[in-house]
Amino acid sequence: MTEHATTPDPAARQKIDTTVPHSARIWNYWLGGKDNYPVDEAAGDAYSAVFPGIVTVARSSRAFLRRTIAHLVTEAGIRQFLDIGTGLPTVDNTHEVAQRLAPASRIVYVDHDPMVLTHARALLTSTLEGATAYVDADLSDPDRILTAAAETLDLTRPTALILSNILGHVGDHDRAREVVARLMDGLPSGSFLSVNDGSRGVDTAYERAQDAYNASGAVPYFLRPVDQITAFFDGLELLEPGVVSVPFWRPEPGSPVQEPIGEHGGLARKP
């Protein structure tokens, strides 16, 4: 069964500009996806020429997402996921990981981007037992997100909120914390929050490259000190090992030893 909560919104009517690089398409390129254009590849190559480690950051972020979802399904028994800022589909998307482990899992993706909306059908696939939906909404409107998500998810039951590389688009830290708090307020006890975002204090080359990207006129993405990323979990019960550089969050047995990177994340439970 496939369900959706997509409604005609402005993003659906926006024309996709293939002459200007777009952050979601560049990220897709770094992850090895195909939903990008030559202008995105050029921008991605220019960025990686300054900071080659960006591909490691992108792929380590996706690996962290995969491990946290696997924990939520197999250890915490979570069967509902609200993934905001999902971006373009590549490999090991939230619904793929969750439904591979628990076919009855229900997932709602949220984004507000014409390119992502165009590819919604690629996201809107599901097992027969579960459901996958797409909501066109902006992170700045948490009430709309919760209302739309409730068409597919039972928000009286524990739900995992996934915020992967999205909060860096909210420049004001206090505002970003307010949005996270409002979203978690709409979820019951036993729900979880997974956050991973670009961080400062680990890799100065990454910071210089990102600051230059932000200054270029592109849609900015702000790296944050680790204590500010940790603050998103205030009032929740952080699981071990806490907020760490993502390669160090419960690495899979036998995986190669990793170096810390400028991407931190954690997983916490709502009491």
Side-chain angles (χ1 to χ4, degrees), residues 123-239:
L123 286 172
L124 289 173
T125 58
S126 177
T127 57
L128 292 175
E129 303 93 327
T132 304
Y134 177 86
V135 171
D136 179 18
D138 192 89
L139 178 64
S140 63
D141 193 353
D143 291 326
R144 168 173 162 72
I145 289 172
L146 291 168
T147 298
E151 296 180 20
T152 300
L153 307 178
D154 178 358
L155 297 186
T156 67
R157 297 175 51 214
T159 301
L161 173 63
I162 309 295
L163 298 170
S164 180
N165 292 106
I166 182 65
L167 293 172
H169 288 296
V170 183
D172 184 272
H173 183 242
D174 289 338
R175 175 56 183 157
R177 289 183 65 187
E178 289 173 2
V179 169
V180 174
R182 175 65 192 98
L183 288 166
M184 289 305 297
D185 283 347
L187 304 180
S189 174
S191 294
F192 284 81
L193 171 65
S194 174
V195 171
N196 63 285
D197 247 330
S199 56
R200 289 189 177 274
V202 173
D203 193 326
T204 55
Y206 182 22
E207 294 167 21
R208 288 195 299 270
Q210 190 60 44
D211 290 346
Y213 177 85
N214 291 351
S216 71
V219 176
Y221 176 85
F222 301 96
L223 306 181
R224 287 196 163 99
V226 178
D227 63 332
Q228 290 190 1
I229 296 174
T230 304
F232 292 129
F233 298 100
D234 284 356
L236 306 176
E237 300 169 347
L238 262 172
L239 277 62

Side-chain angles (χ1 to χ4, degrees), residues 248-261:
F248 300 133
W249 196 92
R250 304 193 179 193
E252 294 166 347
S255 59
V257 176
Q258 301 286 330
E259 296 292 327
I261 61 174

Side-chain angles (χ1 to χ4, degrees), residues 46-130:
Y47 192 114
S48 60
V50 176
F51 176 59
I54 189 59
V55 174
T56 298
V57 170
R59 297 183 180 182
S60 295
S61 169
R62 182 51 59 106
F64 168 83
L65 178 67
R66 183 181 66 247
R67 296 196 304 275
T68 54
I69 293 170
H71 172 86
L72 288 164
V73 173
T74 61
E75 302 295 327
I78 295 296
R79 297 294 183 268
Q80 299 193 130
F81 296 84
L82 178 56
D83 186 338
I84 302 176
T86 179
L88 293 164
T90 50
V91 63
D92 279 345
N93 301 290
T94 296
H95 75 287
E96 293 172 326
V97 177
Q99 292 183 344
R100 189 160 59 230
L101 297 168
S105 297
R106 302 176 74 84
I107 296 90
V108 170
Y109 289 109
V110 180
D111 213 306
H112 189 60
D113 180 278
M115 183 73 175
V116 176
L117 187 58
T118 298
H119 288 76
R121 288 183 180 177
L123 286 172
L124 289 173
T125 58
S126 177
T127 57
L128 292 175
E129 303 93 327

